[in-house]
Amino acid sequence: MKAVIWQGRRDVRVEDVPDPRIEEPTDAVIRITSTGLCGSDLHLYEVLTPFMTPGDILGHEPMGIVEEVGAGVPDLAAGDRVVVPFQIACGSCWMCLTGLPTQCETTQVTGEGMGAALFGYTRLYGSVPGAQAEYLRVPQAQYGPIKVPEGPPDDRFVYLSDVLPTAWQAVEYASLPPGGTLAVLGLGPIGDMACRIAMARGAERVFGVDLVPERLARAGRRGVQTYDLRAFDDEKALVTAIRDATDGRGPDAVIDAVGTEAHGSAAAKLAQTASALLPRRLSGPLAERFSIDRLGALHMAIDLVRRGGTISLSGVYGGTADPMPLLTLFDKQIQLRMGQANVRRWSDQIMPYLTDEDPLGVDDFATHRLPLAEAPHAYEMFQRKQDGAIKILMRP
């Protein structure tokens, strides 16, 4: 089959690899009909390269048709249409039953000290072959895949794999009071969708911050009060502008949907780039012990949120040597929640929004739809934010 293969920093290729097969009774094999390109994939493209191995298959946002199931998968059959969550979880361990499939005790990558295994996401999460491919082996298929109805296009449901539950959890963790105010930093796919979900769930006002014109315009068309970071002398001026719009207090909650790709901190950017360029035998240990993030978005969130408010962190950070303003967090009595999205915990709550009325705008959420064969171009375009690329779907 054809698959998108990681070969090095900013080097992905479409190559022939062996077809997946049933290896365990709880496996399924699906034929992929749509697969997404995620902002987290860009971390593998450049920042998290020390944890990658040439030949890794990328991708974690698939849907498709079941081709084959193992004997331990009673509720799926060949021909079923399914969305596959990005995390791999059993559904029956203590963590899964507590609503934390991201911490699944069956698939935890204990050798790396990490939580549940993920599709296509470094050795830290199990080196599981990913979903930017023609076919995908799905472990723990007795729990993971979400069956969806025939009829609507893939765009209606494919975001159940990652974008929708990640944005939903970000809003859930924000703990907005009735009629509350929310600021979202970063209007990429997760931030944009978080704005839509927050408004659908009753937020009084949503403020969106970014510096990419297409993202700002797209969110503004859906009623988000947008702020272009480039229009302010510095971040303090932007924080003051949003505070002035919230009676001088700041919003009740802030979602950081940016993460380690944030702008700013030239030293952190240099450290990220340097570790990625070192030989792998050196870069991995260096990144694990001394990695550092560009924390501009998180620091802005801490400054912006009102006293007693909540910061919901959905942007991925990977640093271990990051300076954090703990005194400010303590003094402002800020609540901070974060983590990988617990997909199956939220999927049933999201499904009623995926109707013909399309309140979340999923049917036209993708800005680009490309053949899988054009994956190298898709990665480059997305990483450079060219041609208005905000969300890319690929089809084998």
Side-chain angles (χ1 to χ4, degrees):
M1 69 170 184
K2 298 291 186 182
V4 180
I5 303 298
W6 186 91
Q7 292 291 8
R9 181 172 179 262
R10 296 187 184 178
D11 182 3
V12 300
R13 308 173 192 176
V14 179
E15 297 182 356
D16 288 308
V17 299
D19 290 352
R21 57 183 178 83
I22 299 293
E23 299 178 17
E24 301 289 342
T26 51
D27 286 352
V29 172
I30 71 165
R31 174 175 56 83
I32 294 174
T33 56
S34 290
T35 185
L37 176 53
C38 178
S40 295
D41 292 324
L42 295 184
H43 300 153
L44 312 183
Y45 193 60
E46 185 165 19
V47 177
L48 297 180
T49 57
F51 305 109
M52 298 294 290
T53 302
D56 283 348
I57 301 176
L58 300 171
H60 58 268
E61 296 187 347
M63 71 174 292
I65 307 299
V66 175
E67 292 280 304
E68 186 180 1
V69 297
V73 185
D75 296 325
L76 284 184
D80 284 344
R81 189 186 193 198
V82 296
V83 177
V84 180
F86 69 91
Q87 69 217 200
I88 302 167
C90 72
S92 57
C93 70
W94 187 89
M95 284 291 183
C96 286
L97 294 175
T98 308
L100 293 170
T102 56
Q103 311 304 325
C104 176
E105 292 169 319
T106 301
T107 72
Q108 277 181 16
V109 187
T110 54
E112 298 288 349
M114 306 300 279
L118 309 179
F119 287 104
Y121 214 79
T122 81
R123 64 171 173 81
L124 297 178
Y125 288 100
S127 296
V128 181
Q132 290 169 4
E134 293 181 307
Y135 293 90
L136 177 70
R137 171 181 167 253
V138 182
Q140 304 297 328
Q142 80 287 350
Y143 174 67
I146 304 164
K147 286 198 279 191
V148 296
E150 297 293 337
D154 281 8
D155 294 51
R156 179 75 55 88
F157 303 112
V158 66
Y159 305 113
L160 283 168
S161 59
D162 185 349
V163 173
L164 281 165
T166 297
W168 187 279
Q169 181 171 291
V171 174
E172 188 76 20
Y173 281 8
S175 301
L176 276 181
T181 54
L182 172 70
V184 177
L185 307 183
L187 296 173
I190 302 303
D192 185 352
M193 185 57 73
C195 292
R196 300 180 188 203
I197 290 170
M199 289 188 290
R201 294 178 60 179
E204 178 182 322
R205 281 183 296 168
V206 175
F207 308 100
V209 178
D210 208 296
L211 43 67
V212 179
E214 293 87 353
R215 293 179 176 184
L216 290 160
R218 176 169 150 124
R221 288 193 293 269
R222 296 192 69 92
V224 177
Q225 188 171 330
T226 59
Y227 291 80
D228 187 340
L229 187 58
R230 301 167 304 167
F232 295 85
D233 292 335
D234 52 36
E235 293 178 0
K236 288 287 185 183
L238 186 149
V239 168
T240 298
I242 298 178
R243 279 186 184 155
D244 288 346
T246 54
D247 298 321
R249 285 189 293 270
D252 297 305
V254 177
I255 292 174
D256 173 1
V258 179
T260 194
E261 288 285 313
H263 291 260
S265 183
K269 181 177 181 180
L270 178 62
Q272 289 177 346
T273 304
S275 66
L277 293 175
L278 287 171
R280 291 182 65 252
R281 63 185 177 83
L282 299 176
S283 62
L286 178 67
E288 287 182 274
R289 294 183 60 194
F290 302 113
S291 56
I292 187 169
D293 294 303
R294 285 173 273 179
L295 294 173
L298 181 54
H299 285 169
M300 183 191 294
I302 293 168
D303 193 16
L304 178 59
V305 71
R306 69 162 170 81
R307 291 180 177 271
T310 301
I311 295 173
S312 176
L313 185 59
S314 64
V316 176
Y317 288 97
T320 58
D322 292 328
M324 286 289 290
L326 293 179
L327 176 60
T328 302
L329 286 164
F330 182 86
D331 178 66
K332 291 186 71 173
Q333 204 164 330
I334 293 170
Q335 300 178 73
L336 179 60
R337 298 196 69 184
M338 67 187 80
Q340 304 276 13
N342 297 287
V343 176
R344 290 307 306 269
R345 179 174 180 177
W346 312 118
S347 57
D348 289 347
Q349 297 180 40
I350 297 168
M351 194 68 78
Y353 289 82
L354 306 182
T355 62
D356 288 342
E357 289 73 27
D358 194 19
L360 300 179
V362 294
D363 287 352
D364 60 359
F365 191 70
T367 55
H368 294 72
R369 297 169 182 82
L370 299 173
L372 189 70
E374 295 185 23
H377 169 62
Y379 270 83
E380 182 178 11
M381 177 173 60
F382 192 32
Q383 197 267 343
R384 295 184 177 182
K385 299 179 176 63
Q386 295 173 336
D387 194 31
I390 297 173
K391 186 61 185 179
I392 300 173
L393 292 180
M394 295 183 287
R395 297 201 167 107

